């Protein structure tokens, strides 16, 4: 899966492609499937690119615990001088980021769950979010290390993912 593509964007791209006059599809030699026209791919990519134009990506670290009390205790440790990464390595319940000190790498808020995404969007500058955040997975502390304009892959980099997503939706 492409980290830049989501179901909402796929639905919007499908609706857009239905408005685009399709070129006559031809079967590809390799798969026997109808080819998606370059025009459809190009316009879908342009739609994708424009939808990401003003978005920001966040270099996010987090730790997750079961209770608000545990989250507040961890927050107190960090505010007292402990490094976020060392506290995350010790107590986070997230197995995917535990060994990395809570590092989730770069991502768009839309790729995270409700309250977590909302907290990311509130952050206008790098730093520690001032309070624990509750999600359906537990209680989180969130540290934003950096913020940048969203990186948009080139058309050629996105082409296979666009074809796959549009084919899944039956677009020609």
């Amino acid at each position: 899966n492409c980290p830049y593509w989501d179901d909402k964007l796929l639905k919007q791209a499908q609706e857009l492609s239905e408005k685009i006059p399709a070129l006559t599809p031809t079967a590809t030699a390799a798969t026997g499937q109808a080819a998606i026209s370059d025009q459809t791919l190009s316009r879908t990519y342009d739609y994708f690119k424009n939808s990401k134009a003003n978005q920001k990506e966040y270099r996010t670290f987090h730790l997750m615990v079961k209770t608000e009390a545990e989250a507040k205790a961890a927050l107190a440790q960090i505010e007292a001088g402990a490094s976020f990464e060392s506290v995350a390595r010790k107590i986070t319940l997230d197995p995917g980021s535990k060994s990395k000190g809570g590092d989730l790498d770069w991502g768009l808020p839309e790729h995270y769950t409700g309250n977590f995404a909302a907290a990311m969007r509130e952050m206008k500058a790098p730093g520690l979010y001032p309070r624990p955040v509750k999600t359906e997975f537990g209680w989180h502390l969130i540290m934003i290390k950096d913020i940048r304009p969203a990186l948009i892959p080139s058309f050629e980099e996105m082409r296979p993912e666009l074809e796959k997503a549009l084919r899944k939706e039956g677009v020609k």
Side-chain angles (χ1 to χ4, degrees), residues 78-146:
I78 294 164
E79 288 174 337
S83 79
F84 190 97
E85 293 86 345
S86 67
V87 174
R89 279 189 192 94
K90 288 181 201 168
I91 69 168
T92 191
L93 300 175
D94 176 14
S97 68
K98 185 176 185 104
S99 67
K100 300 182 286 183
D103 188 356
L104 297 175
D105 206 0
W106 288 97
L108 299 166
E110 66 197 45
H111 295 146
Y112 297 91
T113 190
N115 291 339
F116 196 104
M120 290 173 71
R121 285 185 186 101
E122 282 182 38
M123 299 289 289
K124 302 301 180 211
L128 178 64
Y129 192 73
R131 61 189 172 279
V133 175
K134 183 168 179 33
T135 72
E136 65 269 27
F137 304 108
W139 286 87
H140 305 261
L141 295 183
I142 301 170
M143 170 76 78
I144 302 297
K145 294 282 187 156
D146 202 2

